Amino acid sequence: GESVGLHLPTLSVQEGDNSIINCAYSNSASDYFIWYKQESGKGPQFIIDIRSNMDKRQGQRVTVLLNKTVKHLSLQIAATQPGDSAVYFCAEDSSGTYKYIFGTGTRLKVLA
Amino acid sequence: NAGVMQNPRHLVRRRGQEARLRCSPVKGHSHVYWYRQLPEEGLKFMVYLQKENIIDESGMPKERFSAEFPKEGPSILRIQQVVRGDSAAYFCASSHRQGAYNEQFFGPGTRLTVL
């Protein structure tokens, strides 16, 4: 289930189940969104991106959904594996800028 | 693997000392970005540089912090007279070009601890 800890919200899922990580973005002018995965002690690793002219994009085992009406982004991970355990950040960008605005992150824990 | 390289990976300084963080972008990338991450938080933009130019330093504290990206060599983030509040992970990212839909590739970060 999902819980809110002192800092990062944590999502715990059973291995093999699907995971859904949510993100509310802040700037209605943002038109580019990226999901990053950050493992402990490492830098953010690109997972998937989506432009504002799309509402869904699929990658390998991952799907990003964008709802511009409510400024909401989600990352779906199919058949979650232990290696998916990490903190996931959404980031937003506005056309012509370069200052990624990162969300606070969600910690994903995969239970064996 | 010719990704973004940062060194040192870990840096310990006493209050009042200087910290120098280095970043070598992906080969061929001429745009460098520095971000700071406090524990359990997202990354916060600090500065954006191109070769020999600071494009935007709006996220960087006005005092004690400076950044450069010389024509030759790595980008340097310099923190003078460090204080405990500077303790954080500092990440560098690089991109091939500026503008929209432009993926930034991140390095492994430098974890600064100020004693």
Side-chain angles (χ1 to χ4, degrees):
Chain A
E2 187 172 308
S3 62
V4 177
L6 277 177
H7 297 283
L8 289 176
T10 299
L11 176 65
S12 298
V13 297
Q14 289 293 138
E15 182 179 354
D17 286 353
N18 296 335
S19 303
I20 300 176
I21 300 171
N22 297 303
C23 175
Y25 63 92
S26 58
N27 186 356
S28 57
S30 293
D31 59 0
Y32 180 52
F33 306 89
I34 315 100
W35 278 101
Y36 282 95
K37 171 186 180 183
Q38 187 176 26
E39 296 174 281
S40 182
K42 296 184 179 179
Q45 177 187 358
F46 174 90
I47 302 174
I48 191 167
D49 59 1
I50 188 168
R51 301 184 187 185
S52 59
N53 60 352
M54 304 172 69
D55 53 20
K56 180 179 180 179
R57 189 162 187 231
Q58 289 184 290
Q60 188 176 14
R61 277 201 312 121
V62 294
T63 301
V64 55
L65 299 177
L66 174 63
N67 185 331
K68 294 182 289 294
T69 303
V70 295
K71 293 192 291 185
H72 184 268
L73 196 66
S74 69
L75 176 70
Q76 300 178 3
I77 304 174
T80 312
Q81 302 169 359
D84 295 328
S85 292
V87 176
Y88 290 80
F89 292 97
C90 65
E92 60 185 290
D93 188 19
S94 296
S95 179
T97 76
Y98 33 76
K99 302 178 194 178
Y100 282 11
I101 300 172
F102 280 80
T104 52
T106 296
R107 188 184 308 280
L108 176 65
K109 288 186 177 179
V110 181
L111 309 173
Chain B
N1 182 354
V4 177
M5 299 180 67
Q6 290 186 250
N7 67 82
R9 296 292 310 276
H10 299 273
L11 182 61
V12 179
R13 285 288 178 265
R14 296 192 181 278
R15 281 179 298 170
Q17 292 184 319
E18 178 180 286
R20 278 184 180 242
L21 289 62
R22 288 176 289 277
C23 168
S24 296
V26 173
K27 189 176 180 181
H29 285 189
S30 58
H31 302 265
V32 166
Y33 316 81
W34 285 92
Y35 292 82
R36 177 163 64 176
Q37 184 180 35
L38 296 174
E40 302 284 290
E41 293 188 10
L43 282 72
K44 298 287 194 299
F45 169 83
M46 297 180 73
V47 60
Y48 163 43
L49 309 103
Q50 294 180 22
K51 285 283 186 181
E52 299 184 279
N53 284 306
I54 297 174
I55 307 303
D56 184 338
E57 55 184 348
S58 60
M60 202 154 66
K62 295 285 187 288
E63 297 179 354
R64 301 189 298 107
F65 285 72
S66 62
E68 63 177 14
F69 189 17
K71 187 176 179 181
E72 302 290 337
S75 174
I76 306 287
L77 179 67
R78 182 182 178 206
I79 311 173
Q80 295 178 290
Q81 299 174 334
V82 296
V83 300
R84 289 216 173 104
D86 296 332
S87 295
Y90 292 84
F91 290 95
C92 168
S94 74
S95 67
H96 178 58
R97 62 188 186 280
Q98 181 188 352
Y101 322 130
N102 189 15
E103 183 185 341
Q104 295 179 17
F105 296 83
F106 283 83
T110 293
R111 277 146 189 86
L112 173 65
T113 302
V114 180
L115 302 177

